[in-house]
mmCIF file of all heavy atoms in Angstrom:
data_model
loop_
_atom_site.group_PDB
_atom_site.id
_atom_site.type_symbol
_atom_site.label_atom_id
_atom_site.label_comp_id
_atom_site.label_asym_id
_atom_site.label_seq_id
_atom_site.Cartn_x
_atom_site.Cartn_y
_atom_site.Cartn_z
ATOM 1 N N GLU A 29 -15.616 -38.209 16.905
ATOM 2 C CA GLU A 29 -14.216 -38.687 17.019
ATOM 3 C C GLU A 29 -13.673 -39.270 15.686
ATOM 4 O O GLU A 29 -12.505 -38.939 15.400
ATOM 5 C CB GLU A 29 -13.918 -39.658 18.113
ATOM 6 C CG GLU A 29 -12.471 -40.001 18.226
ATOM 7 C CD GLU A 29 -12.238 -41.004 19.446
ATOM 8 O OE1 GLU A 29 -13.264 -41.229 20.300
ATOM 9 O OE2 GLU A 29 -11.201 -41.594 19.597
ATOM 10 N N ALA A 30 -14.454 -40.060 15.129
ATOM 11 C CA ALA A 30 -14.088 -40.669 13.783
ATOM 12 C C ALA A 30 -13.867 -39.622 12.681
ATOM 13 O O ALA A 30 -12.994 -39.627 11.893
ATOM 14 C CB ALA A 30 -15.096 -41.635 13.315
ATOM 15 N N ILE A 31 -14.720 -38.493 12.731
ATOM 16 C CA ILE A 31 -14.579 -37.384 11.780
ATOM 17 C C ILE A 31 -13.309 -36.644 12.119
ATOM 18 O O ILE A 31 -12.472 -36.455 11.191
ATOM 19 C CB ILE A 31 -15.830 -36.468 11.888
ATOM 20 C CG1 ILE A 31 -17.112 -37.241 11.401
ATOM 21 C CG2 ILE A 31 -15.623 -35.144 11.026
ATOM 22 C CD1 ILE A 31 -18.395 -36.421 11.691
ATOM 23 N N ALA A 32 -13.055 -36.295 13.476
ATOM 24 C CA ALA A 32 -11.914 -35.655 13.753
ATOM 25 C C ALA A 32 -10.608 -36.348 13.360
ATOM 26 O O ALA A 32 -9.542 -35.763 12.905
ATOM 27 C CB ALA A 32 -11.869 -35.349 15.278
ATOM 28 N N ARG A 33 -10.599 -37.686 13.415
ATOM 29 C CA ARG A 33 -9.443 -38.505 13.148
ATOM 30 C C ARG A 33 -9.110 -38.282 11.601
ATOM 31 O O ARG A 33 -7.931 -38.117 11.225
ATOM 32 C CB ARG A 33 -9.676 -39.976 13.493
ATOM 33 C CG ARG A 33 -8.457 -40.747 13.338
ATOM 34 C CD ARG A 33 -8.815 -42.208 13.848
ATOM 35 N NE ARG A 33 -9.232 -42.198 15.260
ATOM 36 C CZ ARG A 33 -8.277 -42.164 16.229
ATOM 37 N NH1 ARG A 33 -7.201 -42.052 16.017
ATOM 38 N NH2 ARG A 33 -8.829 -42.156 17.528
ATOM 39 N N ARG A 34 -10.073 -38.176 10.746
ATOM 40 C CA ARG A 34 -9.876 -38.097 9.370
ATOM 41 C C ARG A 34 -9.476 -36.719 9.046
ATOM 42 O O ARG A 34 -8.649 -36.374 8.136
ATOM 43 C CB ARG A 34 -11.096 -38.618 8.638
ATOM 44 C CG ARG A 34 -11.136 -40.166 8.563
ATOM 45 C CD ARG A 34 -12.521 -40.685 8.616
ATOM 46 N NE ARG A 34 -12.376 -42.148 8.557
ATOM 47 C CZ ARG A 34 -12.357 -42.839 9.735
ATOM 48 N NH1 ARG A 34 -12.198 -42.255 10.880
ATOM 49 N NH2 ARG A 34 -12.216 -44.218 9.783
ATOM 50 N N VAL A 35 -10.097 -35.759 9.686
ATOM 51 C CA VAL A 35 -9.790 -34.352 9.430
ATOM 52 C C VAL A 35 -8.355 -33.947 9.752
ATOM 53 O O VAL A 35 -7.565 -33.357 8.969
ATOM 54 C CB VAL A 35 -10.766 -33.408 10.200
ATOM 55 C CG1 VAL A 35 -10.392 -32.057 10.215
ATOM 56 C CG2 VAL A 35 -12.205 -33.618 9.777
ATOM 57 N N LYS A 36 -7.816 -34.592 10.928
ATOM 58 C CA LYS A 36 -6.562 -34.328 11.242
ATOM 59 C C LYS A 36 -5.515 -34.971 10.332
ATOM 60 O O LYS A 36 -4.423 -34.420 10.116
ATOM 61 C CB LYS A 36 -6.216 -34.782 12.642
ATOM 62 C CG LYS A 36 -6.964 -34.013 13.812
ATOM 63 C CD LYS A 36 -6.628 -32.500 13.730
ATOM 64 C CE LYS A 36 -5.161 -32.177 14.032
ATOM 65 N NZ LYS A 36 -4.887 -30.811 14.056
ATOM 66 N N ALA A 37 -5.925 -36.015 9.734
ATOM 67 C CA ALA A 37 -5.055 -36.782 8.735
ATOM 68 C C ALA A 37 -4.780 -35.819 7.500
ATOM 69 O O ALA A 37 -3.813 -35.927 6.873
ATOM 70 C CB ALA A 37 -5.625 -38.114 8.339
ATOM 71 N N PHE A 38 -5.764 -35.017 7.312
ATOM 72 C CA PHE A 38 -5.567 -34.089 6.115
ATOM 73 C C PHE A 38 -4.801 -32.703 6.611
ATOM 74 O O PHE A 38 -4.551 -31.890 5.696
ATOM 75 C CB PHE A 38 -6.968 -33.578 5.579
ATOM 76 C CG PHE A 38 -7.596 -34.594 4.622
ATOM 77 C CD1 PHE A 38 -8.284 -35.593 5.040
ATOM 78 C CD2 PHE A 38 -7.480 -34.308 3.298
ATOM 79 C CE1 PHE A 38 -8.911 -36.598 4.164
ATOM 80 C CE2 PHE A 38 -7.979 -35.258 2.320
ATOM 81 C CZ PHE A 38 -8.758 -36.307 2.775
ATOM 82 N N GLY A 39 -4.614 -32.632 7.852
ATOM 83 C CA GLY A 39 -3.817 -31.454 8.290
ATOM 84 C C GLY A 39 -4.603 -30.310 8.707
ATOM 85 O O GLY A 39 -4.012 -29.193 8.878
ATOM 86 N N ALA A 40 -5.953 -30.363 8.747
ATOM 87 C CA ALA A 40 -6.773 -29.141 9.171
ATOM 88 C C ALA A 40 -6.708 -29.058 10.708
ATOM 89 O O ALA A 40 -6.172 -29.921 11.439
ATOM 90 C CB ALA A 40 -8.237 -29.524 8.720
ATOM 91 N N THR A 41 -7.220 -27.969 11.094
ATOM 92 C CA THR A 41 -7.404 -27.704 12.509
ATOM 93 C C THR A 41 -8.840 -28.034 13.024
ATOM 94 O O THR A 41 -9.784 -27.885 12.230
ATOM 95 C CB THR A 41 -7.115 -26.226 12.902
ATOM 96 O OG1 THR A 41 -8.067 -25.381 12.165
ATOM 97 C CG2 THR A 41 -5.699 -25.797 12.524
ATOM 98 N N THR A 42 -8.953 -28.649 14.212
ATOM 99 C CA THR A 42 -10.236 -29.004 14.718
ATOM 100 C C THR A 42 -10.529 -28.427 16.085
ATOM 101 O O THR A 42 -9.697 -28.363 17.026
ATOM 102 C CB THR A 42 -10.161 -30.601 14.989
ATOM 103 O OG1 THR A 42 -8.985 -30.974 15.746
ATOM 104 C CG2 THR A 42 -9.985 -31.266 13.627
ATOM 105 N N ALA A 43 -11.806 -27.952 16.196
ATOM 106 C CA ALA A 43 -12.373 -27.552 17.399
ATOM 107 C C ALA A 43 -13.664 -28.429 17.612
ATOM 108 O O ALA A 43 -14.178 -28.793 16.570
ATOM 109 C CB ALA A 43 -12.686 -26.046 17.322
ATOM 110 N N VAL A 44 -13.901 -28.798 18.809
ATOM 111 C CA VAL A 44 -15.062 -29.539 19.099
ATOM 112 C C VAL A 44 -15.829 -28.907 20.297
ATOM 113 O O VAL A 44 -15.320 -28.263 21.141
ATOM 114 C CB VAL A 44 -14.666 -30.959 19.478
ATOM 115 C CG1 VAL A 44 -13.855 -31.683 18.398
ATOM 116 C CG2 VAL A 44 -13.996 -31.112 20.793
ATOM 117 N N VAL A 45 -17.093 -29.270 20.125
ATOM 118 C CA VAL A 45 -18.116 -28.981 21.327
ATOM 119 C C VAL A 45 -18.487 -30.180 21.920
ATOM 120 O O VAL A 45 -18.875 -31.146 21.306
ATOM 121 C CB VAL A 45 -19.282 -28.275 20.823
ATOM 122 C CG1 VAL A 45 -20.327 -28.137 21.906
ATOM 123 C CG2 VAL A 45 -18.950 -26.772 20.392
ATOM 124 N N ARG A 46 -18.194 -30.317 23.275
ATOM 125 C CA ARG A 46 -18.454 -31.641 23.904
ATOM 126 C C ARG A 46 -18.767 -31.381 25.467
ATOM 127 O O ARG A 46 -18.873 -30.279 25.767
ATOM 128 C CB ARG A 46 -17.122 -32.560 23.908
ATOM 129 C CG ARG A 46 -15.862 -31.941 24.424
ATOM 130 C CD ARG A 46 -14.627 -32.640 24.283
ATOM 131 N NE ARG A 46 -14.631 -34.002 24.647
ATOM 132 C CZ ARG A 46 -13.484 -34.769 24.633
ATOM 133 N NH1 ARG A 46 -12.422 -34.300 24.176
ATOM 134 N NH2 ARG A 46 -13.660 -36.125 25.018
ATOM 135 N N ARG A 47 -19.071 -32.384 26.190
ATOM 136 C CA ARG A 47 -19.520 -32.166 27.574
ATOM 137 C C ARG A 47 -18.324 -31.472 28.367
ATOM 138 O O ARG A 47 -18.705 -30.703 29.391
ATOM 139 C CB ARG A 47 -19.929 -33.497 28.157
ATOM 140 C CG ARG A 47 -21.179 -34.038 27.502
ATOM 141 C CD ARG A 47 -21.678 -35.233 28.247
ATOM 142 N NE ARG A 47 -22.840 -35.833 27.610
ATOM 143 C CZ ARG A 47 -22.741 -36.740 26.725
ATOM 144 N NH1 ARG A 47 -21.602 -37.292 26.426
ATOM 145 N NH2 ARG A 47 -23.834 -37.231 26.137
ATOM 146 N N SER A 48 -17.193 -31.897 28.151
ATOM 147 C CA SER A 48 -16.043 -31.218 28.914
ATOM 148 C C SER A 48 -15.082 -30.721 27.892
ATOM 149 O O SER A 48 -14.788 -31.312 26.969
ATOM 150 C CB SER A 48 -15.423 -32.250 29.854
ATOM 151 O OG SER A 48 -14.853 -33.288 29.111
ATOM 152 N N PRO A 49 -14.387 -29.520 28.165
ATOM 153 C CA PRO A 49 -13.508 -28.883 27.239
ATOM 154 C C PRO A 49 -12.103 -29.496 27.259
ATOM 155 O O PRO A 49 -11.122 -28.823 27.453
ATOM 156 C CB PRO A 49 -13.419 -27.434 27.720
ATOM 157 C CG PRO A 49 -13.788 -27.499 29.196
ATOM 158 C CD PRO A 49 -14.631 -28.664 29.427
ATOM 159 N N ARG A 50 -12.056 -30.836 26.935
ATOM 160 C CA ARG A 50 -10.633 -31.487 26.858
ATOM 161 C C ARG A 50 -10.210 -31.545 25.410
ATOM 162 O O ARG A 50 -10.962 -31.880 24.418
ATOM 163 C CB ARG A 50 -10.803 -32.898 27.362
ATOM 164 C CG ARG A 50 -11.281 -33.061 28.862
ATOM 165 C CD ARG A 50 -11.011 -34.426 29.415
ATOM 166 N NE ARG A 50 -11.542 -35.438 28.574
ATOM 167 C CZ ARG A 50 -12.789 -35.820 28.562
ATOM 168 N NH1 ARG A 50 -13.671 -35.370 29.655
ATOM 169 N NH2 ARG A 50 -13.294 -36.804 27.796
ATOM 170 N N THR A 51 -8.981 -31.163 25.291
ATOM 171 C CA THR A 51 -8.315 -31.328 23.970
ATOM 172 C C THR A 51 -7.476 -32.681 23.848
ATOM 173 O O THR A 51 -7.487 -33.428 24.866
ATOM 174 C CB THR A 51 -7.384 -30.110 23.678
ATOM 175 O OG1 THR A 51 -6.262 -30.148 24.757
ATOM 176 C CG2 THR A 51 -8.137 -28.791 23.652
ATOM 177 N N SER A 52 -7.009 -33.041 22.684
ATOM 178 C CA SER A 52 -6.117 -34.204 22.536
ATOM 179 C C SER A 52 -5.384 -34.035 21.280
ATOM 180 O O SER A 52 -5.313 -33.028 20.702
ATOM 181 C CB SER A 52 -7.198 -35.404 22.433
ATOM 182 O OG SER A 52 -7.906 -35.340 21.160
ATOM 183 N N ASP A 53 -4.850 -35.233 20.809
ATOM 184 C CA ASP A 53 -3.903 -35.083 19.621
ATOM 185 C C ASP A 53 -4.879 -34.876 18.423
ATOM 186 O O ASP A 53 -4.538 -34.352 17.392
ATOM 187 C CB ASP A 53 -3.377 -36.467 19.330
ATOM 188 C CG ASP A 53 -2.252 -36.812 20.380
ATOM 189 O OD1 ASP A 53 -1.813 -35.758 21.091
ATOM 190 O OD2 ASP A 53 -1.827 -37.831 20.588
#
């Protein structure tokens, strides 16, 4: 999550693999 927060601040797109396929901001 900490990585995704910084990646989104740069304007990149993010996909994640997690236990449940939930998206967020």
Side-chain angles (χ1 to χ4, degrees):
E29 183 178 348
I31 294 168
R33 188 173 301 281
R34 285 151 183 80
V35 170
K36 292 304 292 183
F38 276 84
T41 60
T42 55
V44 303
V45 170
R46 60 190 305 186
R47 293 187 184 92
S48 63
R50 295 194 309 272
T51 58
S52 69
D53 291 343

